[in-house]
Every structure is written in structure tokens, then in C-alpha cells.
Amino acid sequence: YFYKGMCYVNDQHVYKFKDYSECIFETQIQSKNWLGERLRGVRERNKLEIKEIDVVASWYGIVLVPFLRYYLNDQNIKFNLYDVDWYTTEIARHIFEDDTVTVHTNDVVFDDIEFKGDTFINCSCEHMFDMKELTHQNKDKLFIFQSNDNRNVQWMHINCVDTTKELAQQAGLKR
């Protein structure tokens, strides 16, 4: 996926080169690997059937989608990737040319979106307002949130947390 995207960025969106190259930083790989391992455990313990996953602030999706397919041992899970950046979603559409991944250009905080998946993932909670309204509107979904405490990127990291308890409270999660 990365190579396919890199060729497309080089040919069509060279101004996204730095951004695109950052999507496979070690921290990205570690956090998505951790998420996949944990989701597999949650699914097995609770005997959950995961058929469709909504991923907000999905960026290019090239790390998360393969990890989830691997850890959930299912190449047929449907993914709905949402990102606010049109150029990013254009590149993601080029990368994922199969019918299991649909890429949307939306602002998930302000646009009215009907999320279709049974599972909802936001790996970038530090970039947006609290998820509490979304969790309250979609009580039937499994929610997975990741954030960080990196306040050094003040103009982008508008909603950092220091603990998992703080993140759960921010998102309105009870369990």
C-alpha cells in the first residue's frame, strides 16, 4: 500500500510528500499494532462479530487497515475511512481500489454523517473535539479511541489527555 501511494503522491500530489511519508512513522505502526491486538482480544472475549468499521481521521489508512485485517483474520471486513483533507482522501482512494474500503471526505465533528459500521475508531482524538456526542448518538457501536498527551503541536493537538480514564470520560464511555 505504501509504495502504491508513494508513486501516486510523486506523480500527482508531490506537495503531500512529507505528510504521506509521516504516516508510517514508528509511533503510527506501534499504536495501530497495539490497537489491532487489543481489538482481537476484545472481540474474542465478548464473541463480537465485526463486519464493518468506521474510521474517522483515518489519514491514509495504510497502517490501520492491514493491521485490522490481520488481527481480526478477515479480509472481507468493510472499512469506511473518513478524513477532512480532500487531498488525503484522494490518495487513499487511489491506494484502496477494492470494494471493502470506501473513502469519504468529511469533517466528522461538523458534518451530519450516518456511520454505518458496527465498530467506530478514532485514533486521533487529540485533533478534534470530544467524541461524547457521537458515542451518545450511536450507543449500539463498539468504540475505540486513541489520543496522546503531546501538547507541543498546539495548533493541531487541541484536545490532549494525560490518562486513559480522562479519554474515556471525554468520550462519554462507561465501560
Side-chain angles (χ1 to χ4, degrees), residues 12-25:
Q12 302 294 322
H13 300 285
V14 71
Y15 45 86
K16 292 294 278 185
F17 183 81
K18 181 181 182 298
D19 183 66
Y20 186 76
S21 65
E22 291 174 354
C23 77
I24 61 163
F25 274 4

Side-chain angles (χ1 to χ4, degrees), residues 66-107:
F67 269 130
L68 292 180
R69 284 179 171 162
Y70 170 77
Y71 281 112
L72 299 176
N73 195 26
D74 189 345
Q75 298 301 309
N76 297 314
I77 291 177
K78 293 199 180 304
F79 290 90
N80 300 301
L81 305 181
Y82 296 88
D83 202 280
V84 69
D85 181 356
W86 182 88
Y87 297 106
T88 296
T89 57
E90 173 69 20
I91 296 163
R93 279 187 197 94
H94 177 78
I95 294 168
F96 295 105
E97 293 180 309
D98 66 68
D99 60 355
T100 63
V101 179
T102 306
V103 181
H104 307 271
T105 308
N106 288 100
D107 185 325

Side-chain angles (χ1 to χ4, degrees), residues 136-147:
H136 288 213
Q137 292 171 353
N138 298 279
K139 293 181 186 285
D140 59 333
K141 297 184 186 307
L142 171 65
F143 287 95
I144 302 159
F145 296 123
Q146 287 184 323
S147 189

Side-chain angles (χ1 to χ4, degrees), residues 102-119:
T102 306
V103 181
H104 307 271
T105 308
N106 288 100
D107 185 325
V108 298
V109 175
F110 296 109
D111 292 351
D112 187 24
I113 303 168
E114 182 181 340
F115 296 104
K116 297 178 181 169
D118 47 54
T119 303

Side-chain angles (χ1 to χ4, degrees), residues 4-75:
K4 184 177 182 181
M6 183 59 78
C7 291
Y8 188 65
V9 166
N10 185 59
D11 292 343
Q12 302 294 322
H13 300 285
V14 71
Y15 45 86
K16 292 294 278 185
F17 183 81
K18 181 181 182 298
D19 183 66
Y20 186 76
S21 65
E22 291 174 354
C23 77
I24 61 163
F25 274 4
E26 185 176 0
T27 53
Q28 289 294 319
I29 292 169
Q30 289 171 344
S31 67
K32 300 330 177 255
N33 183 53
W34 180 91
L35 189 155
E37 287 177 337
R38 295 304 181 277
L39 180 55
R40 178 177 57 195
V42 167
R43 185 194 65 184
E44 290 171 358
R45 277 191 306 282
N46 296 291
K47 299 188 182 353
L48 297 174
E49 190 171 0
I50 298 175
K51 292 188 175 278
E52 189 168 2
I53 300 174
D54 296 317
V55 182
V56 301
S58 61
W59 212 1
Y60 303 99
I62 64 172
V63 176
L64 183 61
V65 170
F67 269 130
L68 292 180
R69 284 179 171 162
Y70 170 77
Y71 281 112
L72 299 176
N73 195 26
D74 189 345
Q75 298 301 309

